[in-house]
Every structure is written in C-alpha cells, then in structure tokens.
Amino acid sequence: MPLTRGSTAKGQAGPDWSATLKIGNKGKEAASAGKLEIDKDAFTPVAHEDFMRVDSLCSAILLNFYEHLQAEGLSAEDATELAKGADYFIRDFVVDFKALNLFYELPGIVRQFAGNWYISNTLEPDIGQLGGHLQGIRAFYRFLHERGFISAAYLEAIENESSDLAYYERRIETFWEIEGDGFIAWEAEGTLKEGNAKPGRA
C-alpha cells in the first residue's frame, strides 16, 4: 500500500516530517543554503542486514529535502505531500525493492515504478495519487541535481519519465483488463526484472 504520513508500506514508523535534520552539523541552514555533506557510497546496501542502515540514511536526506521545500516558501502541508511521494519511491521501491543506491543513475526506473510496481502493489491504483508521487519524485531529483549529486542528463530522464501521465493512466486501465495469464505480457512492458541489485532477483 502507498505510504501515509508517519507510516511505511511495511507498517514501520516512517519519517517525522516536522523533525530537524542535521547533516554535517548544518541542519536547516544546509537546507536553505543548498549545502549537504554526504558519502554517496554509504547509500549502497551491501547485505540483507544492511537495509535498515541505508533506510535511515535515506530518511535523513529526505528530511533535508522536506526542510528545503519549506525554506523555499512551501507550506508544511505542500512540503509534506512532495516529501511523501519521494519517500515512497526512494525507500520502498529504489532501496527496499530494487536494492539500489538512490544516487545510482538508472534511466527507466521511474517508468518501472509508475508503470508497473505502483500499479501491481496498490489495491486501487489511481492516476491522481500516482501523479502526486511523481511530483514528489521530480522535486526530489531536482533537489539532488542542484547539489551536484546527479547529472543533468539523468535529471532530464527522470523528469521525462515522471511527466508521462497519459501512459501511466493507460497502464492502470490495461491492468484492470488483464485476464487469465495476461499479467505476463502486461508485466513485460516496463518489467521489474531489469536493473535489480537485490540477491535472488533476476
């Protein structure tokens, strides 16, 4: 199920978006000044028992993103909605499902998320809800690019993939039309089997 504030799809406690993040002892000053000191390699899960550590690191940078949005003038409510969309994508899909470093540049990953994983892992997939997630994803990757953590080419790919709402709406419609063993053909378009790092996944 998609995230709600203060929870995750796995029923664990989620980020408190009102909390203050401190990265490199800068806290909210870092959010407003655009300065982050992080080790990107530390965001790579290297073993099954390592996912909790990486999840905590992702929560920290997402909190910084949330504070940045407010420093830019967004209300707490609007910042929360964008941060929730990014959180769901990063923590539940990129890290937990794909077992990838969030800074790893993999064109097509948003298409996998929005055109396959979100739809098949949500009881009632909705293009309005999905569109909200995609807005958060776009805003988060712009945040990363502004700080030099991802390339301009990758940001462009993310923005293009996250803007194709008509395609994702068709994917939802065709998902509900699946009969018999039709899921195999449906899944093959934007398959989740590509680009995985988690042990045991093809």
Side-chain angles (χ1 to χ4, degrees), residues 45-107:
V46 295
H48 288 292
E49 60 272 15
D50 202 34
F51 282 86
M52 186 173 296
R53 177 190 63 80
V54 174
D55 184 77
S56 296
L57 290 174
C58 292
S59 294
I61 197 169
L62 285 158
L63 282 169
N64 192 267
F65 168 60
Y66 167 76
E67 291 178 347
H68 160 76
L69 294 173
Q70 291 195 85
E72 291 292 302
L74 267 68
S75 68
E77 291 76 13
D78 289 343
T80 293
E81 289 306 307
L82 289 176
K84 280 169 54 180
D87 178 282
Y88 183 41
F89 174 71
I90 294 297
R91 294 173 65 213
D92 285 67
F93 182 66
V94 175
V95 174
D96 186 62
F97 182 78
K98 301 290 287 184
L100 296 173
N101 185 314
L102 73 87
F103 300 105
Y104 178 55
E105 300 191 1
L106 181 66

Side-chain angles (χ1 to χ4, degrees), residues 1 10 12 24 34 42 45-47 65 105 115 120 128 130 136 148 150 158 174:
M1 292 292 292
K10 296 178 287 297
Q12 301 170 334
V46 295
F65 168 60
E105 300 191 1
S120 58
L130 178 57
I150 62 169
I158 293 290
T174 55

Side-chain angles (χ1 to χ4, degrees), residues 93 97-98 112 116-117 120 187 190-194 196:
F93 182 66
F97 182 78
K98 301 290 287 184
Q112 287 185 356
N116 192 324
W117 189 85
S120 58
E187 200 281 335
T191 180
L192 297 173
K193 297 177 181 179
E194 296 179 357
N196 295 329

Side-chain angles (χ1 to χ4, degrees), residues 20 24 35 40 42-43 50-51 67 70 85 100 104 135 142 157 159-160 167 196:
T20 300
K35 298 177 181 178
K40 293 197 292 186
F43 286 74
D50 202 34
F51 282 86
E67 291 178 347
Q70 291 195 85
L100 296 173
Y104 178 55
Q135 285 183 338
R142 288 170 186 161
E159 292 190 327
N160 288 339
Y167 172 75
N196 295 329

